Amino acid sequence: MKRKTLVLPAVVGLLAPVLAACGGTDSGADGKGAIVVGTTDQLVASQENPAPLDPAIGYEAGVWNVLRQTVQTLTTVPNGGGEPVPEAARSCAFTDTANESYRCTLRSGLTFADGTPVTAEDVKHSVQRVIDIDAESGPVGLLANIDMIETKGEDQVIFHLKTPDATFPYKLATPAAGIVPKAQYPAKAARKGFQVDGSGPYTMKPEVEDGRVVRIAFEKNPSYKGELKVLNDKVEMDLFPDTGAMGKALDEKKIHLMTRAMSPEQAHEMLVSPKEGVDLTELPGLAISYLGFNTKDPVVTKPVRQAMAQIIDRGQIAGKVYGTTAEPLYSLIPSSIAGHTNAFFNKYGEPSTAKAAKILDKAGVETPVKFTLHYTSDHYGPATAEEFKAIQQQLNASGLFKVSVRGEEWSTYRPEQKRGDYAAYGMGWFPDFPDPDNYTAPFLDANNFLNSPYRSREAEKVLIPQSRRAADRTAAADAYEKLQDIVADDVPVLPIWQGKQYVASRDGIAGVERSVSATSELQLWELNRPNA
């Protein structure tokens, strides 16, 4: 989910409140105790995934929102962007000009929350187990380029890479490389359940009902040593089944913040009619929404996918469904990321049924093309169903398609999508780090995030390796332009929109503008009560 090697000026400085409402009191009678954060992220254990919070298994924004608070990584990306800086490490650097050997030295006196020393062997164990477990839907792809991990003494770790990768420091900054204690995390198997232990800024205690987390209590870890400044003692995360329940809790002063994911209607209502005692803060967002395809399915052939790209009106979908919270996207790489091009608009222009009909007619495709467009009903927010009804209406109105839509819960949806059960489906992407590599390689490289059968030899064997050799990320612009053109031509995925983020908070809470990163991860340590 994240990496980077250049400062992104489009991200820096965008964290700013869009409105402030006056009055109100802190939730909680005396303004003391835990700061309570609401979210609609769902953390569920199932027979298929009994270990959703193991760093070797969990690869979702909601999971990483928990891991970020509890496990340390060797490096971290500064708030607002920039190159990674040491976190659990006191220093990290490439030791060769080819960017194939990366050495980190741990901070002295570093311990896990229980007082056990953190050693280089713990780091090696933590990263190696992600590779060895190789979870089907896990984050192993971020670490797949590691050839060997070497330790020297108690505090030095050297990562030897298979191929040059200037983005590797960003990958080490993700929870995929989170450092966990060997005694509690088996080398070849996942740690079941919801408990997370590490050396991060907080310890955690989950409250579970029927295999589902309903609340997590985070307490400041007194043993924490790292780059982050923890500005509070306790934070509680309440997990709600939907945005309506979360909004009601904010109104009733049962929570201080409403975060992932506010509905577009809630954000619009607060913008138009500010609530007394509530602030709405707009944050930069790098999340994207897109359609994916099983490119081996005979129904969604390349001409069919191109015709869909020609018909779908992204602007109408973004405006009608999401209002001010989204804007149309014409590439896998968002417009706020260096290297972005409007590849799909450059190829297809404005939506046109006539042009789509020519594409299908030239390929001899019989119309209307019939298939089911699948989406997850409980993972990306309440507007998802409306979005896919809008896409269905656009395609069917052309007369060239006869599409039905179907929603499934994420626990069912994701395994079926990975198996290739769906010809066409909707997905979202919350980047692991703000670099164009993280919007291309996860979809086009071997062992890609979608388990897609699509392959482009030029992308996989030439352009992705070429782009990763550039320590100066601006030097990789040509490679990313070609990658975006390949995606626009072959349409293995079809970008729809990129989003903004909003956080609603009650008066008396500071640090809200820094509490969610541009990559949609909670940074609970930034929250505080300045007047408490």
Side-chain angles (χ1 to χ4, degrees):
M1 293 170 36
K2 288 174 201 161
R3 328 168 204 159
K4 167 169 177 158
T5 312
L6 74 154
V7 176
L8 296 179
V11 172
V12 177
L14 288 180
L15 302 176
V18 295
L19 70 86
C22 300
T25 59
D26 229 41
S27 68
D30 56 6
K32 298 179 181 178
I35 296 173
V36 186
V37 175
T39 176
T40 56
D41 288 326
Q42 301 298 301
L43 302 174
V44 183
S46 63
Q47 185 174 359
E48 196 158 34
N49 182 14
L53 289 180
D54 187 318
I57 307 297
Y59 194 25
E60 302 169 18
V63 172
W64 280 22
N65 278 340
V66 176
L67 296 178
R68 278 291 182 199
Q69 323 309 318
T70 48
V71 300
Q72 266 188 297
T73 48
L74 290 168
T75 61
T76 187
V77 177
N79 211 334
E83 295 187 10
V85 297
E87 163 50 351
R90 60 180 171 86
S91 64
C92 285
F94 282 106
T95 59
D96 65 332
T97 56
N99 295 331
E100 288 184 307
S101 182
Y102 195 73
R103 181 191 300 260
C104 289
T105 302
L106 293 174
R107 293 177 185 267
S108 61
L110 197 66
T111 67
F112 292 109
D114 65 0
T116 305
V118 177
T119 69
E121 283 297 326
D122 288 302
V123 177
K124 179 179 178 179
H125 168 82
S126 301
V127 175
Q128 188 64 52
R129 68 187 295 272
V130 178
I131 298 169
D132 292 342
I133 291 173
D134 192 17
E136 182 180 1
S137 297
V140 64
L142 289 167
L143 307 175
N145 194 34
I146 296 175
D147 184 44
M148 182 180 71
I149 306 172
E150 179 186 359
T151 61
K152 288 190 175 181
E154 292 291 306
D155 63 352
Q156 290 192 41
V157 187
I158 303 99
F159 299 93
H160 300 281
L161 307 182
K162 298 173 185 176
T163 59
D165 186 1
T167 70
F168 186 67
Y170 292 91
K171 296 171 185 176
L172 284 185
T174 70
I179 306 167
V180 295
K182 291 177 64 175
Q184 297 173 18
Y185 288 81
K188 305 288 185 179
R191 181 185 182 181
K192 297 180 181 179
F194 295 104
Q195 185 58 44
V196 180
D197 292 285
S199 56
Y202 296 97
T203 60
M204 61 87 78
K205 183 177 180 181
E207 183 178 327
V208 181
E209 295 179 1
D210 300 322
R212 183 184 299 268
V213 176
V214 296
R215 185 173 294 103
I216 300 176
F218 294 100
E219 289 201 18
K220 185 177 180 179
N221 174 12
S223 301
Y224 171 71
K225 291 184 178 181
E227 176 71 14
L228 308 177
K229 301 297 184 287
V230 184
L231 302 179
N232 56 67
D233 292 326
K234 296 180 181 179
V235 179
E236 182 180 287
M237 180 188 293
D238 283 7
L239 286 75
F240 293 91
D242 53 55
T243 56
M246 183 168 61
K248 185 172 184 287
L250 184 73
D251 291 341
E252 295 176 352
K253 301 184 180 181
K254 293 179 178 178
I255 62 175
H256 296 86
L257 271 78
M258 184 163 62
T259 58
R260 285 180 31 92
M262 291 181 62
S263 71
E265 291 81 8
Q266 287 172 324
H268 178 73
E269 181 181 349
M270 290 187 187
L271 283 167
V272 174
S273 303
K275 295 186 177 183
E276 183 178 1
V278 175
D279 302 332
L280 185 68
T281 303
E282 179 183 328
L283 306 174
L286 297 175
I288 66 171
S289 177
Y290 60 95
L291 302 184
F293 302 95
N294 177 356
T295 54
K296 284 189 175 179
D297 192 296
V299 175
V300 287
T301 59
K302 179 176 175 178
V304 170
R305 302 193 302 268
Q306 289 178 326
M308 292 174 67
Q310 184 66 74
I311 288 172
I312 291 176
D313 187 337
R314 297 164 177 80
Q316 184 187 69
I317 292 169
K320 177 182 177 183
V321 179
Y322 294 98
T324 62
T325 66
E327 57 187 46
L329 179 63
Y330 297 93
S331 168
L332 273 177
I333 301 174
S335 59
S336 48
I337 292 287
H340 163 85
T341 68
N342 285 319
F344 274 82
F345 190 86
N346 295 340
K347 181 173 178 62
Y348 300 99
E350 297 290 345
S352 170
T353 296
K355 290 181 179 179
K358 288 182 179 179
I359 293 171
L360 296 174
D361 183 61
K362 182 177 180 180
V365 176
E366 184 178 345
T367 58
V369 180
K370 300 178 183 179
F371 62 86
T372 299
L373 181 58
H374 296 263
Y375 68 92
T376 173
S377 58
D378 64 342
H379 196 64
Y380 296 122
T384 306
E386 186 180 351
E387 174 186 348
F388 281 83
K389 287 179 182 177
I391 294 174
Q392 175 195 32
Q393 290 169 358
Q394 289 183 3
L395 292 173
N396 290 351
S398 71
L400 302 174
F401 290 89
K402 189 173 183 179
V403 175
S404 58
V405 294
R406 181 176 178 179
E408 296 281 359
E409 290 189 358
W410 180 255
S411 58
T412 299
Y413 181 84
R414 177 61 168 153
E416 291 181 346
Q417 178 269 312
K418 293 257 320 184
R419 284 200 304 265
D421 293 354
Y422 306 152
Y425 51 88
M427 292 289 282
W429 181 250
F430 299 91
D432 307 318
F433 48 91
D435 185 273
D437 178 82
N438 199 233
Y439 290 94
T440 48
F443 304 97
L444 304 176
D445 214 348
N447 302 315
N448 62 77
F449 168 73
L450 295 174
N451 198 33
S452 169
Y454 171 79
R455 288 293 180 272
S456 164
R457 189 182 185 285
E458 183 181 7
E460 185 178 329
K461 302 297 183 183
V462 180
L463 296 174
I464 291 174
Q466 177 185 325
S467 69
R468 288 175 172 171
R469 283 194 288 269
D472 176 2
R473 302 304 288 146
T474 59
D478 287 346
Y480 288 119
E481 181 176 354
K482 292 175 183 176
L483 285 167
Q484 291 169 90
D485 287 343
I486 287 172
V487 172
D489 186 51
D490 291 346
V491 200
V493 294
L494 177 52
I496 304 294
W497 55 262
Q498 68 178 83
K500 299 178 183 178
Q501 301 181 101
Y502 290 92
V503 176
S505 60
R506 301 208 65 84
D507 285 350
I509 302 298
V512 175
E513 71 277 8
R514 299 181 300 277
S515 66
V516 183
S517 73
T519 52
S520 302
E521 291 177 4
L522 293 178
Q523 301 177 146
L524 300 181
W525 54 85
E526 297 283 2
L527 298 171
N528 64 95
R529 292 188 179 96
N531 299 318

